[in-house]
Amino acid sequence: MAPHTGLLTAAVQVRGLVRRYDERAVLDGVDLEIAPGEFVALLGKSGSGKSTLLRALAGLDSAVAGTGDLVVPAQVSVVFQDSRLLPWARVLDNVVLGLNGAGERGRQSLEEVGLAGRENAWPNELSGGEQQRVALARSLVREPELLLADEPFGALDALTRLKMHALLRKLCAAHQPAVLLVTHDVDEAIVLADRVIVLDQGRLIAQEQIELAAPRSPADPGFAAVRARLLDALGVSW
């Protein structure tokens, strides 16, 4: 089932989404709604179907079925754990890939992610964190209504991850896409998201509305309480 696009009261509307591999249901009747501008983090154990759900929303998996609709906005961008930059193209060319006459927009997008002046660099001249900044610039230069992020900071060191968290929140506040972030990191989910949902055996089993004031600190008792509930939903002893 290919995603439908159109005018929405919600940025994402999913009803009864199913994805099977042989006899195993990786997604088993998923219902999900994401409001325009809402930042949702998706947690789950390995193999729970997180990336499968993201691929379905991105229109990258045609072998999904549903009792209802899979509806997404017309403008969707995806950021992966690997920056997926073209090594033979300079940074600016990577950002505006497929966009005609968008050089100035690309430069502005690079400035937003802190890479002004690196337009003519080659990808292999950048650090891992800088490459992910380029990937974010490439996604946001298209002004998506929905940003899908599949563990985009999973390969980065701890300090770089913290910097990227702050940058992503800043960019999302400026561009206001709806966001679905797939992550294994409970603290990352709480720091970034307006709402955290938990997927287990192909079903959404829990959600937490995050109402903590920013900046959110793991030292905050409220943060610890949310973490404990999410870990419990994930079946993790703490």
Side-chain angles (χ1 to χ4, degrees), residues 117-139:
R118 303 302 303 276
E119 294 86 354
N120 292 319
W122 297 103
N124 64 6
E125 296 173 345
L126 305 180
S127 68
E130 288 172 332
Q131 290 180 19
Q132 282 302 87
R133 287 172 183 260
V134 176
L136 280 174
R138 180 180 57 195
S139 294

Side-chain angles (χ1 to χ4, degrees), residues 64-149:
V64 291
T67 57
D69 284 329
L70 168 57
V71 186
V72 298
Q75 295 297 325
V76 179
S77 288
V78 185
V79 182
F80 297 95
Q81 183 172 336
D82 180 345
S83 64
R84 305 197 179 191
L85 303 183
L86 301 178
W88 57 84
R90 296 186 186 272
V91 163
L92 180 60
D93 293 330
N94 267 285
V95 171
V96 299
L97 183 68
L99 300 176
N100 294 324
E104 185 56 34
R105 284 165 54 196
R107 291 184 182 89
Q108 291 172 357
S109 191
L110 284 169
E111 183 175 359
E112 278 191 302
V113 300
L115 290 177
R118 303 302 303 276
E119 294 86 354
N120 292 319
W122 297 103
N124 64 6
E125 296 173 345
L126 305 180
S127 68
E130 288 172 332
Q131 290 180 19
Q132 282 302 87
R133 287 172 183 260
V134 176
L136 280 174
R138 180 180 57 195
S139 294
L140 292 171
V141 76
R142 289 159 173 77
E143 294 294 344
E145 297 167 87
L146 175 62
L147 177 64
L148 302 170

Side-chain angles (χ1 to χ4, degrees), residues 51-73:
S51 293
T52 302
L53 176 57
L54 184 143
R55 287 176 56 84
L57 296 179
L60 300 176
D61 186 353
S62 60
V64 291
T67 57
D69 284 329
L70 168 57
V71 186
V72 298

Side-chain angles (χ1 to χ4, degrees), residues 3-14 32-37 57 69-76 145-146 178:
H4 300 291
T5 60
L7 295 175
L8 302 175
T9 56
V12 171
Q13 294 176 343
V14 177
L32 175 64
E33 190 168 294
I34 302 175
L57 296 179
D69 284 329
L70 168 57
V71 186
V72 298
Q75 295 297 325
V76 179
E145 297 167 87
L146 175 62

Side-chain angles (χ1 to χ4, degrees), residues 178-190:
V179 181
L180 180 64
L181 169 73
V182 169
T183 179
H184 281 100
D185 188 328
V186 173
D187 283 6
E188 178 173 83
I190 299 170

Side-chain angles (χ1 to χ4, degrees), residues 201-214:
Q201 297 184 4
R203 292 178 176 269
L204 293 175
I205 61 166
Q207 69 172 336
E208 282 280 341
Q209 197 73 33
I210 310 300
E211 298 176 345
L212 304 171

